[in-house]
Amino acid sequence: MAYGFGTWDANGVDNNTGLVRINALGTLSIDASSNYSQAFSLPSGYVLDYLFQPSGEPSSINARKRISVSGNLVTVTQVSGSDYSNNTFPNVPGTILAFARL
């Protein structure tokens, strides 16, 4: 008997990867309301991605932050408190884990 759940893309192809190993490149501790930019050494053939772990209270309920990735660079910028688009988060301190994926 199998356990878990299945997911499929629009073409009906199974895309449930289960647990995926990652190649951690480093961490970036950020406060609630500053802008940051950090470059990471990226192995050939990999793309940069991140996980964000909040660790405190919001500095302001009228602001949010956007975390974006371009090439080997992670950038954190402040955005409007009404911006709930992709890659925006509450304005809280935390840690960004940068990792390489295929």
Side-chain angles (χ1 to χ4, degrees), residues 44-100:
S44 179
Y46 285 79
V47 294
L48 183 63
D49 209 344
Y50 70 92
L51 298 169
F52 176 61
Q53 177 62 54
S55 64
E57 296 296 318
S59 65
S60 167
I61 56 175
N62 294 323
R64 292 178 58 81
K65 69 178 76 195
R66 172 173 286 116
I67 302 174
S68 57
V69 173
S70 178
N72 71 332
L73 190 66
V74 174
T75 304
V76 179
T77 54
Q78 302 303 304
V79 296
S80 163
S82 61
D83 186 345
Y84 288 89
S85 60
N86 288 340
N87 300 316
T88 62
F89 300 89
N91 231 13
V92 297
T95 302
I96 295 173
L97 169 65
F99 65 93

Side-chain angles (χ1 to χ4, degrees), residues 14-31:
D14 183 5
N15 63 6
N16 184 4
T17 59
L19 297 176
V20 177
R21 287 188 216 159
I22 62 171
N23 297 317
L25 299 175
T27 60
L28 177 62
S29 294
I30 60 174
D31 65 27

